[in-house]
Amino acid sequence: MMQMQSVENEPILAVSWDFGQTLAELDTTMLSARCAERGVAVPVARLDASVMPAWRAYNTAVRAGAGGHPWQLLMRTLLTGAGVAAEEASALAGWLWTEQPARNLWRRPIPGMIELVRALRGRGIPMVVTSNSEGRLAELAGELGWLDAFDAVVDSGRLGIEKPDPRIFAWSAGRVAVPPSRVAHVGDAWSADFLGALGAGMRAVLFRGGASMPEGAEYPAGDPRCARCDEASELAEILRGWGVPG
C-alpha cells in the first residue's frame, strides 16, 4: 500500500529515519535464545504470532501518556502472548531491559531499507537516524555495519528528548545543516514519528504504521507533506516524487 500527494514545494534535501520497526525489527530468534538463557523455552513461531498484539498494546499505552518508549510493557505483552506465565514474563522483561543497551533485540533488517539508505547517501543526500532509544543506538548501528551509512545518529537516550517533541527533530535537521522543511522523516509510529515530524515542520512518511493509528484517527490524505507506504520500493518512489534524486 502506498499513498502520497504530489508537492510543488522545494525538494527534500535530507532524510531522517526512525530505527526500530523502520530500519530494523525485533529479532524474535534472538529473543527466543535470550529467554532460553534464563531457562524459559519460548518458540520463535509463538513470538512471531504475538508481535502485532504486543505492538497494539504498546501504541495504546503511548497514546494514554505512558511516554514514548514503554519498553517493558511491550515485552511483557509479547511474552505472555507467546505463552509465558505473567510473573515469569515480568521478570524476563525486566532482565531483558537491563540487557538491552548491550544486547539490543532490534537488529533484524527490514528488507530493502538499509540498501535504500546507502543508495540515497551515495547520491549525496544526508541521512540521519532520529530514534527513541536507550542510549547506545550508534553502537548497535556499528555492530550491524550500518554506522557509515548515516551522517548522524540522534538517540533520545543520549539527547534526553523523545519524539514527538519537536526539539529532537530540530536537532536532527541541525546535525545535517538542513532546514526542517527540507527534511523527510520516515517512521512507523503515528504519534512519535508521523505527527511528531509534521509538528516539527518536516514532511512525514508513515511506514508500516497502520497498527499505530488510534481508533478514529484519519490519515490526512489532503496534506501534501504526508505519505505512507509498506515497502522500501514504495518509499523510494515517494522520495523521488519529493525531489530526492533516484
Side-chain angles (χ1 to χ4, degrees):
M1 174 200 69
M2 177 178 69
Q3 293 188 19
M4 64 174 292
Q5 299 291 319
S6 62
V7 293
E8 299 178 356
N9 298 339
E10 294 178 305
I12 289 299
L13 297 179
V15 183
S16 166
W17 305 80
D18 178 40
F19 194 90
Q21 304 304 117
T22 300
L23 297 173
E25 60 192 347
L26 175 65
D27 187 337
T28 51
T29 299
M30 180 179 179
L31 175 57
S32 177
R34 298 246 62 198
C35 290
E37 291 177 37
R38 307 292 285 186
V40 181
V42 192
V44 173
R46 287 188 182 177
L47 290 170
D48 287 338
S50 183
V51 166
M52 286 308 298
W55 276 115
R56 284 193 289 270
Y58 171 92
N59 289 317
T60 297
V62 170
R63 292 192 295 269
H69 207 63
W71 195 98
Q72 291 193 57
L73 170 65
L74 171 70
M75 197 57 58
R76 285 195 304 271
T77 307
L78 175 61
L79 292 169
T80 54
V84 179
E87 185 175 345
E88 197 163 41
S90 183
L92 273 172
W95 175 72
L96 289 165
W97 174 246
T98 64
E99 291 283 295
Q100 179 71 358
R103 301 286 301 278
N104 196 303
L105 294 166
W106 268 259
R107 62 175 64 236
R108 184 161 64 194
I110 292 178
M113 294 297 276
I114 191 62
E115 292 83 0
L116 179 57
V117 170
R118 291 190 181 280
L120 294 173
R121 192 162 185 259
R123 298 182 188 111
I125 307 299
M127 300 285 115
V128 56
V129 172
T130 309
S131 180
N132 288 355
S133 194
E134 299 86 32
R136 290 183 55 85
L137 190 57
E139 288 81 356
L140 174 61
E143 285 181 44
L144 296 173
W146 294 0
L147 195 56
D148 65 332
F150 298 98
D151 296 271
V153 175
V154 178
D155 181 339
S156 69
R158 289 189 175 175
L159 186 61
I161 306 169
E162 288 189 341
K163 298 177 296 184
D165 191 317
R167 293 176 297 167
I168 192 171
F169 293 100
W171 182 269
S172 292
R175 291 296 305 274
V176 291
V178 174
S181 63
R182 306 289 294 277
V183 178
H185 178 73
V186 183
D188 70 294
W190 173 256
S191 176
D193 292 305
F194 187 71
L195 298 184
L198 290 176
M202 294 181 175
R203 294 186 213 173
V205 182
L206 186 63
F207 180 74
R208 295 186 177 182
S212 71
M213 293 177 65
E215 186 176 350
E218 294 186 8
Y219 173 79
D223 190 333
R225 301 174 303 151
C226 302
R228 57 179 173 176
C229 64
D230 294 323
E231 304 292 340
S233 59
E234 297 173 342
L235 176 58
E237 183 178 342
I238 288 165
L239 294 175
R240 281 195 295 270
W242 285 347
V244 176

